[in-house]
Amino acid sequence: MDTRFLGIADLVDTPSVAVVVDVMRAFTVAAWAFAQGAEKIVLAESLDEALALKTRHPEWVALKDGPPAPGFDAVNSPGLLRSIDLGGRTVVQKTTAGTVGALAVKEAPLVLCASFVVAEATAQLLRARGSDSVTFVVTGEDGQADEDLACAQYIARRVTEPGTDAAEFLRRGAQSRAASELAKGVRQGVHPDDVELCLELDRFPFAMVATLEGSLMVLRRRTVPAVGSHIRQPSYSSASTGPRNSPAP
């Protein structure tokens, strides 16, 4: 399999298969939203579009990066989102990097959105498809975010070498600039468990596929049956993540 690892600004053509990676935190949050029952996630172009969609569909759940803001129901934090019941709901997500990367490749025939929590399912979907060429979009820090690059490289290796160990890739994620900023509270809208939750390997047995539905880029979960029996490996950190399904506030 021929692989490319590109930042958003480096995309000059439409790839046949794109895997858009945002570990901290967009596509960890998206996976948690599905785990909490969300039916689909609409990836918004801008904060204004997210608010407009929320206005037209008051029952939808809008989330964004940073601190809470009027019109938005949640922030881009897996630690905070895991206590919200999203059963059957549509989520509108707008983030600084992840959603931007997915929209940049919206014309690609296959777009997957990924992070460590869905790494194996993503790799298995790519393996089953048998793609000759895959472009990994490294969304953070203009394509230099090491947690995103590490995750992308790990998924790429798992496609062709299923026995690849994750330890070194998770270590890079734990030592990344994003992990440090989240742990130190430099970024807003953060839960203390966010870094650990973002480094939890294969927590969920599904991949996430984004497709154009009318004018909207919509993300949906796609269960990979072979992953259902996969034993979830411990995260890089040893701290507790708290309950998987907390009651809604």
Side-chain angles (χ1 to χ4, degrees):
M1 184 179 72
D2 178 47
T3 56
R4 298 187 299 170
F5 302 91
L6 301 177
I8 298 170
D10 300 320
L11 293 164
V12 295
D13 54 17
T14 301
S16 58
V17 178
V19 180
V20 187
V21 181
D22 189 330
V23 172
M24 296 185 186
R25 293 166 285 172
F27 298 138
T28 300
V29 167
W32 269 99
F34 287 124
Q36 293 300 103
E39 178 184 352
K40 64 183 180 181
I41 299 173
V42 176
L43 306 179
E45 294 266 6
S46 65
L47 294 175
D48 286 343
E49 183 188 28
L51 288 173
L53 288 167
K54 173 69 176 178
T55 299
R56 293 202 298 272
H57 305 279
E59 73 280 9
W60 288 10
V61 177
L63 66 86
K64 61 177 280 293
D65 275 338
F72 287 89
D73 306 287
V75 296
N76 193 48
S77 160
L80 295 172
L81 194 71
R82 65 182 171 174
S83 64
I84 301 175
D85 181 4
L86 296 173
R89 307 285 291 278
T90 293
V91 173
V92 180
Q93 185 180 35
K94 170 66 180 86
T95 69
T96 305
T99 59
V100 175
L103 289 163
V105 293
K106 63 184 179 181
E107 301 295 339
L110 177 62
V111 179
L112 305 178
C113 295
S115 61
F116 280 116
V117 296
V118 293
E120 177 61 20
T122 304
Q124 289 205 22
L125 195 155
L126 290 170
R127 194 181 307 131
R129 182 183 172 90
S131 303
D132 294 330
S133 177
V134 178
T135 297
F136 288 86
V137 183
V138 180
T139 61
E141 299 176 30
D142 297 322
Q144 302 301 309
D146 200 37
E147 75 281 2
D148 292 341
L149 181 58
C151 183
Q153 291 172 337
Y154 173 67
I155 292 170
R157 286 277 297 276
R158 290 287 295 190
V159 174
T160 56
E161 302 175 39
T164 298
D165 185 76
E168 175 60 19
F169 300 95
L170 291 171
R171 183 195 64 78
R172 287 167 55 192
Q175 295 180 353
S176 67
R177 174 182 172 182
S180 176
E181 290 181 353
L182 288 172
K184 294 176 181 177
V186 174
R187 302 186 185 188
Q188 295 182 295
V190 178
H191 186 280
D193 291 343
D194 277 358
V195 173
E196 182 180 1
L197 292 173
C198 289
L199 297 176
E200 206 170 18
L201 186 66
D202 301 334
R203 177 159 192 143
F204 304 116
F206 54 81
M208 299 186 294
V209 181
T211 55
L212 281 172
E213 299 185 13
S215 63
L216 299 177
M217 189 69 163
V218 177
L219 189 62
R220 296 181 184 273
R221 60 184 286 174
R222 182 173 298 179
T223 300
V224 180
V227 181
S229 59
H230 178 72
I231 298 175
R232 179 166 58 88
Q233 300 184 37
S235 63
Y236 188 86
S237 167
S238 60
S240 172
T241 62
R244 292 190 62 172
N245 289 295
S246 304

